[in-house]
PDB file of all heavy atoms in Angstrom:
ATOM      1  N   CYS A  40      56.802 135.359 114.290  1.00 98.00           N
ATOM      2  CA  CYS A  40      57.070 136.738 114.844  1.00 98.00           C
ATOM      3  C   CYS A  40      56.299 136.899 116.164  1.00 98.00           C
ATOM      4  O   CYS A  40      55.234 136.207 116.376  1.00 98.00           O
ATOM      5  CB  CYS A  40      56.554 137.754 113.850  1.00 98.00           C
ATOM      6  SG  CYS A  40      56.600 139.449 114.371  1.00 98.00           S
ATOM      7  N   HIS A  41      56.741 137.775 117.087  1.00 97.00           N
ATOM      8  CA  HIS A  41      56.075 137.964 118.283  1.00 97.00           C
ATOM      9  C   HIS A  41      54.667 138.542 118.005  1.00 97.00           C
ATOM     10  O   HIS A  41      53.739 138.303 118.793  1.00 97.00           O
ATOM     11  CB  HIS A  41      56.817 138.920 119.170  1.00 97.00           C
ATOM     12  CG  HIS A  41      56.515 138.656 120.688  1.00 97.00           C
ATOM     13  ND1 HIS A  41      57.450 138.186 121.565  1.00 97.00           N
ATOM     14  CD2 HIS A  41      55.375 138.807 121.399  1.00 97.00           C
ATOM     15  CE1 HIS A  41      56.873 138.067 122.751  1.00 97.00           C
ATOM     16  NE2 HIS A  41      55.589 138.461 122.694  1.00 97.00           N
ATOM     17  N   SER A  42      54.451 139.206 116.840  1.00 96.00           N
ATOM     18  CA  SER A  42      53.094 139.668 116.538  1.00 96.00           C
ATOM     19  C   SER A  42      52.160 138.524 116.331  1.00 96.00           C
ATOM     20  O   SER A  42      50.937 138.635 116.581  1.00 96.00           O
ATOM     21  CB  SER A  42      53.122 140.582 115.287  1.00 96.00           C
ATOM     22  OG  SER A  42      53.997 141.663 115.421  1.00 96.00           O
ATOM     23  N   ASP A  43      52.625 137.410 115.802  1.00 97.00           N
ATOM     24  CA  ASP A  43      51.769 136.223 115.681  1.00 97.00           C
ATOM     25  C   ASP A  43      51.236 135.844 117.021  1.00 97.00           C
ATOM     26  O   ASP A  43      50.053 135.430 117.164  1.00 97.00           O
ATOM     27  CB  ASP A  43      52.582 135.009 115.067  1.00 97.00           C
ATOM     28  CG  ASP A  43      52.921 135.266 113.619  1.00 97.00           C
ATOM     29  OD1 ASP A  43      52.298 136.025 112.931  1.00 97.00           O
ATOM     30  OD2 ASP A  43      53.952 134.640 113.197  1.00 97.00           O
ATOM     31  N   HIS A  62      53.451 135.672 108.882  1.00 98.00           N
ATOM     32  CA  HIS A  62      53.659 136.790 107.927  1.00 98.00           C
ATOM     33  C   HIS A  62      55.204 136.966 107.672  1.00 98.00           C
ATOM     34  O   HIS A  62      55.651 138.078 107.442  1.00 98.00           O
ATOM     35  CB  HIS A  62      53.040 138.052 108.450  1.00 98.00           C
ATOM     36  CG  HIS A  62      53.529 138.493 109.820  1.00 98.00           C
ATOM     37  ND1 HIS A  62      53.019 137.999 110.942  1.00 98.00           N
ATOM     38  CD2 HIS A  62      54.490 139.360 110.140  1.00 98.00           C
ATOM     39  CE1 HIS A  62      53.677 138.510 111.950  1.00 98.00           C
ATOM     40  NE2 HIS A  62      54.552 139.342 111.506  1.00 98.00           N
ATOM     41  N   GLU A  63      55.886 135.831 107.798  1.00 98.00           N
ATOM     42  CA  GLU A  63      57.336 135.866 107.369  1.00 98.00           C
ATOM     43  C   GLU A  63      57.411 134.621 106.465  1.00 98.00           C
ATOM     44  O   GLU A  63      57.983 133.592 106.846  1.00 98.00           O
ATOM     45  CB  GLU A  63      58.250 135.738 108.622  1.00 98.00           C
ATOM     46  CG  GLU A  63      58.253 136.937 109.480  1.00 98.00           C
ATOM     47  CD  GLU A  63      59.241 136.965 110.623  1.00 98.00           C
ATOM     48  OE1 GLU A  63      59.647 135.862 111.061  1.00 98.00           O
ATOM     49  OE2 GLU A  63      59.581 138.065 111.073  1.00 98.00           O
ATOM     50  N   CYS A  88      54.196 141.520 105.968  1.00 98.00           N
ATOM     51  CA  CYS A  88      53.126 141.928 106.897  1.00 98.00           C
ATOM     52  C   CYS A  88      51.824 142.294 106.155  1.00 98.00           C
ATOM     53  O   CYS A  88      50.812 142.380 106.814  1.00 98.00           O
ATOM     54  CB  CYS A  88      53.507 143.185 107.651  1.00 98.00           C
ATOM     55  SG  CYS A  88      55.017 142.973 108.487  1.00 98.00           S
ATOM     56  N   LEU A 114      47.970 139.398 108.875  1.00 92.00           N
ATOM     57  CA  LEU A 114      47.415 138.826 110.100  1.00 92.00           C
ATOM     58  C   LEU A 114      45.893 138.869 110.110  1.00 92.00           C
ATOM     59  O   LEU A 114      45.301 138.220 110.915  1.00 92.00           O
ATOM     60  CB  LEU A 114      47.994 139.489 111.318  1.00 92.00           C
ATOM     61  CG  LEU A 114      49.431 139.246 111.706  1.00 92.00           C
ATOM     62  CD1 LEU A 114      49.950 140.101 112.826  1.00 92.00           C
ATOM     63  CD2 LEU A 114      49.556 137.774 112.076  1.00 92.00           C
ATOM     64  N   CYS A 148      59.443 140.191 107.866  1.00 98.00           N
ATOM     65  CA  CYS A 148      58.853 141.089 108.905  1.00 98.00           C
ATOM     66  C   CYS A 148      59.908 141.668 109.779  1.00 98.00           C
ATOM     67  O   CYS A 148      60.199 142.874 109.756  1.00 98.00           O
ATOM     68  CB  CYS A 148      57.821 140.431 109.723  1.00 98.00           C
ATOM     69  SG  CYS A 148      57.205 141.578 111.050  1.00 98.00           S
ATOM     70  N   ALA A 149      60.661 140.809 110.492  1.00 98.00           N
ATOM     71  CA  ALA A 149      61.718 141.399 111.391  1.00 98.00           C
ATOM     72  C   ALA A 149      62.644 142.223 110.628  1.00 98.00           C
ATOM     73  O   ALA A 149      63.048 143.326 111.048  1.00 98.00           O
ATOM     74  CB  ALA A 149      62.430 140.212 112.123  1.00 98.00           C
ATOM     75  N   THR A 152      61.126 145.639 109.361  1.00 98.00           N
ATOM     76  CA  THR A 152      60.696 146.445 110.462  1.00 98.00           C
ATOM     77  C   THR A 152      61.772 147.206 111.127  1.00 98.00           C
ATOM     78  O   THR A 152      61.595 148.288 111.637  1.00 98.00           O
ATOM     79  CB  THR A 152      59.907 145.556 111.521  1.00 98.00           C
ATOM     80  OG1 THR A 152      58.817 144.967 110.815  1.00 98.00           O
ATOM     81  CG2 THR A 152      59.440 146.442 112.620  1.00 98.00           C
ATOM     82  N   LEU A 177      63.498 140.778 116.097  1.00 98.00           N
ATOM     83  CA  LEU A 177      63.710 142.040 115.437  1.00 98.00           C
ATOM     84  C   LEU A 177      65.178 142.579 115.757  1.00 98.00           C
ATOM     85  O   LEU A 177      65.933 143.004 114.938  1.00 98.00           O
ATOM     86  CB  LEU A 177      62.665 143.104 115.813  1.00 98.00           C
ATOM     87  CG  LEU A 177      61.397 143.245 114.987  1.00 98.00           C
ATOM     88  CD1 LEU A 177      60.729 141.957 114.862  1.00 98.00           C
ATOM     89  CD2 LEU A 177      60.494 144.316 115.552  1.00 98.00           C
ATOM     90  N   ARG A 330      64.937 133.354 116.317  1.00 98.00           N
ATOM     91  CA  ARG A 330      63.685 133.267 115.639  1.00 98.00           C
ATOM     92  C   ARG A 330      63.297 131.783 115.352  1.00 98.00           C
ATOM     93  O   ARG A 330      64.199 131.051 114.853  1.00 98.00           O
ATOM     94  CB  ARG A 330      63.819 133.969 114.272  1.00 98.00           C
ATOM     95  CG  ARG A 330      62.564 134.383 113.573  1.00 98.00           C
ATOM     96  CD  ARG A 330      61.639 135.130 114.396  1.00 98.00           C
ATOM     97  NE  ARG A 330      61.105 136.375 113.804  1.00 98.00           N
ATOM     98  CZ  ARG A 330      60.519 137.309 114.503  1.00 98.00           C
ATOM     99  NH1 ARG A 330      60.371 137.243 115.813  1.00 98.00           N
ATOM    100  NH2 ARG A 330      60.016 138.341 113.863  1.00 98.00           N
TER     101      ARG A 330
HETATM  102 ZN1   ZN B   2      55.910 140.414 112.459  1.00 78.97          ZN
END
Side-chain angles (χ1 to χ4, degrees):
C40 174
H41 207 114
S42 303
D43 291 335
H62 57 277
E63 292 186 337
C88 305
L114 286 173
C148 176
T152 301
L177 270 56
R330 199 52 133 196

